[in-house]
Amino acid sequence: MGVGTLIIFIAVILVAAVAAAVLISVAGSLQQRTLVTGGQAEEGVSTGAEAVSVMATDAATGHNIETFEMLLRLQAGSESMNLNNTVVIVDTSTTSQNLDFQGGVAGAYSTLQYGITYVKSGPDQENGYLSRGDVIKVLFNSTNAVDENQKVRIKVVPRVGQATIIEFTTPDVMTDQRIALW
């Protein structure tokens, strides 16, 4: 009886060792997945832009506006935003347009694109990104002129993170060359 018991005892120890190795492997895999998922969730919640102001030009001719300038910076604690993966959506009561980043900095941009200039460059500044410490001016044209007393909604939607929503109504009378909207 002593040898049979010893063989069973050794078999139980081997089975327990294999089970422990499987549990340790699964726990490590789950921990890695948890860290990746947690990082993605944190990036999704904390990444986003903050609007500083919205201006428009060309109101002196025709009492409507077509050219917009929006100052943006990162929200506190946000990761850098790749502007190539960021869409600006401009909605009015009569139109809606999705604008993609035209690439590069400033220059000519079509009605379906937006351009940027760096007003202030942060320590991690990289062209085509909104990084910590950066303040950028987003420049775009509306496909149709925006008239007086019209509601406008601008959304800055990054690939990952929170959308920034800016809503305003244009002034009742627009006669100046440059108008502060938000």
Side-chain angles (χ1 to χ4, degrees):
M1 210 188 304
V3 175
T5 306
L6 183 60
I7 291 174
I8 292 174
F9 178 71
I10 292 172
V12 168
I13 288 177
L14 287 173
V15 169
V18 169
V22 168
L23 287 174
I24 289 171
S25 174
V26 168
S29 174
L30 288 175
Q31 180 182 14
Q32 183 63 29
R33 284 186 192 171
T34 302
L35 290 173
V36 169
T37 303
Q40 290 172 342
E42 182 181 342
E43 183 182 14
V45 170
S46 67
T47 299
E50 177 183 349
V52 177
S53 68
V54 178
M55 303 286 288
T57 58
D58 295 337
T61 58
H63 304 285
N64 56 33
I65 49 180
E66 295 175 353
T67 305
F68 290 85
E69 298 175 0
M70 178 173 47
L71 287 181
L72 293 178
R73 64 181 176 203
L74 279 181
Q75 293 176 350
S78 182
E79 295 291 323
S80 294
M81 284 176 48
N82 183 346
L83 298 173
N84 288 306
N85 298 328
T86 303
V87 176
V88 174
I89 301 170
V90 182
D91 293 325
T92 65
S93 59
T94 58
T95 63
S96 179
Q97 63 187 112
N98 297 334
L99 307 171
D100 294 317
F101 181 53
Q102 61 98 15
V105 179
Y109 48 91
S110 73
T111 55
L112 298 177
Q113 295 179 320
Y114 66 91
I116 67 161
T117 59
Y118 286 88
V119 176
K120 181 177 183 285
S121 297
D124 303 327
Q125 191 270 329
E126 183 179 349
N127 286 343
Y129 284 82
L130 177 57
S131 301
R132 182 176 57 91
D134 291 346
V135 177
I136 61 170
K137 184 185 293 184
V138 177
L139 308 159
F140 60 91
N141 290 324
S142 176
T143 53
N144 294 329
V146 178
D147 294 321
E148 297 168 328
N149 197 26
Q150 189 170 6
K151 187 172 184 174
V152 178
R153 175 183 289 158
I154 300 172
K155 293 181 244 180
V156 179
V157 184
R159 180 183 60 81
V160 175
Q162 299 175 341
T164 302
I165 300 173
I166 306 156
E167 293 182 326
F168 56 87
T169 302
T170 57
D172 291 336
V173 177
M174 295 190 293
T175 57
D176 294 334
Q177 178 64 27
R178 191 166 167 81
I179 296 175
L181 298 170
W182 189 86

